[in-house]
Amino acid sequence: MKIEFAPLSLPLQRRLQTAAVVQWVFSFLCLAQCCIAAFIALLFTRFWLLCVLYAAWWFVDREAPLRGGRRIHVVRNSAVWRHMKDFFPVTLVKTAELDPRQNYLVGFHPHGVLAVGAFINFGTEATGFSTIFPGITPHLMTLPLWFRVPFLRDYLMSAGLVSSDKESAYHVLHRPEGGNLLAIIVGGSQEALDARPGSCTLLLKNRKGFVRVAIEQGSPLVPAFSFGENELYDQVSNPKGSWLRWIQHRLQQIMGISLPLFHARGIFQYSFGVVPYRRPINTVIGKPIPVLKKHKPSDEEVDRVHRKYLEELSKLFEEHKAKYNVPEDSHLEFI
């Protein structure tokens, strides 16, 4: 006998969606500190031996983020991510097929404040990545810093995240069986400082390392643009040359992460808080750009492929911007 459950009421659905987003924001802002505090605190309890054993396992397993991580499908398929996806909502759009016999390097743009689109699409199955791109296993790169935090490292790897080191990229893209997709948020945390509604500025003009990696591995480059990513938060004005921007850049140089002063709505009110606005995110995956493999490409060869990538990314943006309510006079600006 088949058991059918009554659908959730709309108010309950919205509460679950908001709760899912709140836990994501909390994870981004506080989880690292909480994991470190919990690890240290447990050392002074009767569970200290567990911390010692975990530290030993951590040492043995320290190379895992550089070796493709350790995904757990139960985590990637959690209902929490589906509720989070429905909050905005987030949609994954395919424009071309990806051959599962090849490995691909995807450039994701823009970073936004919290890179919500990148995580939901590549770090979970909430938008149905495996159904849309059968035979392709996604990997999302993030800062090596996060894999130095106890407990957090395992949580990130369970979602399919890997370290943003060159060694990690080589490992994923060099797998002979193919069927791997490595997504890198090219603008990185520095681009987050320009993430605000209406912004089309991408930190990409001089970022060519990912292109060199693609050429060295012979992996096709795939541009991806996430419409709506910059619409989720307002940000305190920080124009270049301002004291705030100078402080943010200095902190980034010291810590490796940027600290945008963002705000949106609250949990129980809509005037101020760190919960993002309910605005749709549409991540469009472009068509692959063939890359000729070469072990040591010259700067000229890298520049040529980089220009082709910028052209294809701009073309992808122009072809789809009208569908997602981007003004006709808005164009990508590369800095």
Side-chain angles (χ1 to χ4, degrees), residues 65-331:
L66 302 174
R67 298 289 183 268
R70 185 173 50 251
R71 67 185 57 234
I72 299 175
H73 293 290
V74 172
V75 175
R76 287 179 55 85
N77 287 280
S78 171
V80 172
W81 309 130
R82 292 195 296 273
H83 289 305
M84 181 175 170
K85 181 261 296 185
D86 292 336
F87 175 88
F88 297 100
V90 182
T91 305
L92 182 62
V93 180
K94 178 173 72 173
T95 63
E97 296 292 338
L98 298 183
D99 186 352
R101 294 171 297 181
Q102 287 190 297
N103 296 318
Y104 297 90
L105 180 56
V106 172
F108 182 91
H109 314 273
H111 183 286
V113 172
L114 299 183
V116 172
F119 179 78
I120 287 294
N121 287 302
F122 303 116
T124 79
E125 287 295 331
T127 55
F129 182 94
S130 296
T131 302
I132 297 173
F133 295 103
I136 304 294
T137 301
H139 305 265
L140 176 63
M141 302 190 92
T142 189
L143 292 173
L145 167 70
W146 303 126
F147 295 102
R148 301 188 188 114
V149 179
F151 310 132
L152 177 61
R153 65 186 300 273
D154 303 284
Y155 172 65
L156 294 177
M157 285 194 289
S158 69
L161 274 66
V162 296
S163 177
S164 56
D165 292 280
K166 186 179 291 187
E167 181 183 350
S168 176
Y170 286 162
H171 181 84
V172 172
L173 298 176
H174 194 65
R175 290 177 174 175
E177 69 275 13
N180 292 283
L181 180 149
L182 182 65
I184 177 171
I185 309 175
V186 182
S189 58
Q190 187 176 345
E191 190 176 79
L193 298 178
D194 290 311
R196 49 177 48 85
S199 174
C200 296
T201 302
L202 300 181
L203 187 59
L204 185 58
K205 188 176 182 179
N206 296 311
R207 298 220 165 181
K208 304 175 183 179
F210 73 105
V211 175
R212 185 178 295 276
V213 169
I215 296 175
E216 291 174 347
Q217 297 299 314
S219 300
L221 281 164
V222 182
F225 193 87
S226 197
F227 292 90
E229 192 74 45
N230 282 340
E231 309 300 315
L232 305 184
Y233 285 101
D234 294 313
Q235 190 173 161
V236 175
S237 180
N238 59 342
K240 292 181 180 179
S242 65
W243 65 270
L244 176 57
R245 190 63 166 245
W246 181 85
I247 292 174
Q248 289 172 323
H249 274 302
R250 289 292 298 168
L251 289 175
Q252 183 183 9
Q253 291 172 352
I254 296 171
M255 300 186 299
I257 57 175
S258 65
L259 296 173
L261 299 181
F262 60 90
H263 58 90
R265 48 162 286 194
I267 299 176
F268 304 110
Q269 44 77 31
Y270 294 87
S271 58
F272 188 83
V274 294
V275 178
Y277 296 120
R278 281 183 182 265
R279 293 172 180 170
I281 301 173
N282 296 280
T283 303
V284 183
I285 309 296
K287 64 180 181 180
I289 303 170
V291 174
L292 183 63
K293 184 175 182 179
K294 189 171 184 179
H295 180 57
K296 291 185 178 180
S298 65
D299 291 341
E300 291 75 16
E301 290 170 321
V302 172
D303 289 342
R304 183 170 62 252
V305 176
H306 185 259
R307 284 194 298 271
K308 177 64 175 176
Y309 180 85
L310 296 184
E311 292 171 3
E312 290 297 326
L313 179 60
S314 296
K315 182 179 178 182
L316 181 72
F317 177 82
E318 296 295 334
E319 288 179 349
H320 293 85
K321 67 181 184 180
K323 302 176 188 176
Y324 305 118
N325 301 316
V326 176
E328 186 177 352
D329 59 351
S330 292
H331 308 284

